[in-house]
Amino acid sequence: MKIIKFCGLLLLLSLAACSPLKTYIKADTTAFYKESFEPKGSVVVLSGDVNLNNSLEFDAFKQKVEAQLSGVGFTVVTDVASADYAALLLYGVDDGEQSVVYTPIYGQTGRRIHSIADIAYNADGKAVYIRRNYLSPNFGVVGASAETKKNYRQTIALDIVNADSLSLDAPLKVFEGRTIGSGKCSVIVEVFDELLEAMFFDFPGENGRNRVQRLESEVNCH
């Protein structure tokens, strides 16, 4: 029976260790676009880095972007030659910034004497004052605990350009969107969906303004 209980405890601990961590991501989204820009017409999704167009990771992200573009009014195609626009996608996570967070520790800092006056009666029935002293504890900050944390910046960049301008050194942009997340996760795949949702919230958003969102996320990363 003890062995079964011990194994059960190990199983619970392993499940807890592998379960997703609920956290929050602060996302800043900015969008710039031509006044004539409208989310319609045909669009093909490509990587902003030509070396990633055959990446399986990029292919997974590409399908998510295609679904979002289709949802706001574009017609998604797979051939550049038949596309009005090309959506160029880039993403990444920085090396993180380390900080130390101090949390105060509260406890008993000492004791102090309190005095109270009370009335008592002597053997003759005469009232007399009696002063009584008692000790009471004082509480306050007795120290601090230090915790080292690392915060990462996760970025999704999406430029929509005229497809027939892809051969130019500087393709003609009609839309430029950036969503930058800030949080504990250093793995882009764990936060990509949330950042993409932030980018396409009320798409295309207010031109030239920043929008801040706090997104709940369940991630498998440290």
Side-chain angles (χ1 to χ4, degrees):
M1 182 63 69
K2 289 182 180 179
I3 295 176
I4 294 175
K5 287 183 178 179
F6 181 69
C7 292
L9 178 60
L10 287 179
L11 177 61
L12 289 174
L13 289 174
S14 63
L15 289 174
C18 297
S19 61
L21 171 69
K22 182 172 290 187
T23 186
Y24 289 90
I25 302 168
K26 175 180 174 290
D28 288 87
T29 300
T30 56
F32 294 88
Y33 47 87
K34 298 286 188 181
E35 291 185 4
S36 59
F37 173 72
E38 290 185 81
K40 64 181 182 179
S42 56
V43 63
V44 61
V45 179
L46 303 172
S47 173
D49 181 349
V50 294
N51 297 315
L52 294 180
N53 279 317
N54 291 323
S55 161
L56 293 178
E57 178 189 64
F58 173 74
D59 188 59
F61 293 158
K62 172 185 174 180
Q63 293 178 44
K64 297 175 185 291
V65 174
E66 288 175 339
Q68 292 286 353
L69 290 169
S70 178
V72 296
F74 284 103
T75 300
V76 175
V77 296
T78 57
D79 183 14
V80 176
S82 61
D84 298 316
Y85 302 102
L88 306 178
L89 173 67
L90 282 173
Y91 48 85
V93 180
D94 72 1
D95 294 329
E97 182 177 344
Q98 191 164 286
S99 61
V100 179
V101 178
Y102 294 94
T103 303
I105 299 173
Y106 293 91
Q108 185 173 332
T109 59
R111 296 184 298 175
R112 59 180 177 178
I113 299 175
H114 290 269
S115 296
I116 59 172
D118 202 357
I119 297 177
Y121 296 91
N122 61 17
D124 298 327
K126 184 178 179 180
V128 294
Y129 285 97
I130 298 176
R131 184 168 296 278
R132 294 189 176 94
N133 296 327
Y134 68 94
L135 295 176
S136 66
N138 278 347
F139 292 93
V141 177
V142 297
S145 63
E147 181 182 3
T148 300
K149 294 185 177 181
K150 205 164 188 180
N151 205 54
Y152 297 89
R153 285 164 58 92
Q154 313 100 353
T155 303
I156 292 180
L158 187 69
D159 290 345
I160 300 178
V161 304
N162 289 330
D164 57 9
S165 71
L166 283 172
S167 59
L168 302 177
D169 291 336
L172 302 176
K173 291 183 184 181
V174 295
F175 172 86
E176 180 180 286
R178 302 288 183 271
T179 295
I180 300 175
S182 176
K184 299 178 181 179
C185 195
S186 61
V187 186
I188 189 66
V189 69
E190 289 295 324
V191 296
F192 188 88
D193 289 350
E194 289 81 0
L195 297 182
L196 190 63
E197 178 185 341
M199 176 176 282
F200 277 88
F201 177 80
D202 196 26
F203 187 86
E206 189 174 355
N207 198 1
R209 297 297 300 273
N210 181 62
R211 180 175 67 246
V212 180
Q213 293 167 270
R214 189 168 183 261
L215 309 169
E216 184 176 332
S217 177
E218 289 190 355
V219 298
N220 282 307
C221 56
H222 301 286

